[in-house]
Amino acid sequence: MAESSNAITTRPNINKSSLDDAYAAPANFLEIDISNPETHGIAKKRYTDYELHLRTNLPIFKLKESTIRRRYSDFEWLRAELERDSKIVVPLLPGKALGRQMPFRGDDGIFDDDFIEERRVALETFINKIAGHPLAQNEKCLHMFLQDETIDKNYVPGKIKSM
C-alpha cells in the first residue's frame, strides 16, 4: 500500500531548459515599429509620414527586414483593402481628427507634436494587430504595405503563397 502511494507522489522526470534555451531568439517573431514622423509640404499640401521598420523570421515575408515610409492615407487604403478582401475583422484606425483641421486654431492642429505622437502610437498598435493575424499575413496588400517602397493601388488582390 505504501509503495503504490509513493508512486503516485513521485514527480515526473522533466528536463530543465538551459539558460541558452531560455534566452534564445523566439521561434517565430514579427516586430513592427513606427518612428521618425516627418511633416512635408506647405499649406493644403502638408502631410506627415512615418517610418515603418519590420523585422521578422516568418517565411511568408520575402524580406526579413525592411524600412519604408507611410502616411495616414496609406493606412486607410490598407484597412479598406483588408475589409474588402480578407476574412478578418479589421480594427479601427485612429480618427481623422477633423476638429484639429479647423482654421484659426491656437495650435498646429494635426501637425502638433503631441497629436503626431498620439497618432504614431495608435498606428503602431493598429499595424501590429493586423500583421500579427495569421490570415492577414497571407494578404498581398499587407505585404505591399509593409515591404514595398511604393504602393501599387492597381494591384490584383490575392493571397501570398507560403515560401
Side-chain angles (χ1 to χ4, degrees), residues 26 29-33 53-56 128:
F29 70 92
L30 174 64
E31 299 170 354
I32 303 169
D33 300 317
H53 186 74
L54 173 132
R55 288 175 304 282
T56 187
N128 277 289

Side-chain angles (χ1 to χ4, degrees), residues 63-145:
L63 301 174
K64 299 310 170 199
E65 193 164 337
S66 62
T67 301
I68 46 91
R69 296 198 70 82
R70 294 287 180 250
R71 54 193 288 182
Y72 183 83
S73 59
D74 296 329
F75 284 87
E76 290 179 310
W77 172 84
L78 174 64
R79 186 174 192 283
E81 290 298 303
L82 289 170
E83 277 190 323
R84 184 181 58 154
D85 294 324
S86 72
K87 305 281 189 259
I88 68 168
V89 176
V90 183
L92 295 174
L93 279 167
K96 290 282 287 179
L98 296 175
R100 285 188 163 273
Q101 297 178 34
M102 301 301 274
F104 309 114
R105 289 181 51 95
D107 62 9
D108 284 334
I110 61 171
F111 302 106
D112 181 71
D113 289 341
D114 291 337
F115 175 75
I116 289 172
E117 177 59 16
E118 287 173 25
R119 181 173 269 183
R120 183 200 66 75
V121 169
L123 291 174
E124 187 173 87
T125 300
F126 169 81
I127 197 62
N128 277 289
K129 282 182 183 176
I130 295 288
H133 195 293
L135 294 177
Q137 290 174 2
N138 294 319
E139 296 293 335
K140 282 185 183 178
C141 61
L142 179 66
H143 286 254
M144 187 177 5
F145 181 86

Side-chain angles (χ1 to χ4, degrees), residues 10-28:
T10 40
R11 294 180 186 239
N13 189 10
I14 299 174
N15 294 333
K16 293 187 178 181
S17 63
S18 69
L19 283 176
D20 290 341
D21 293 338
Y23 291 101
N28 288 319

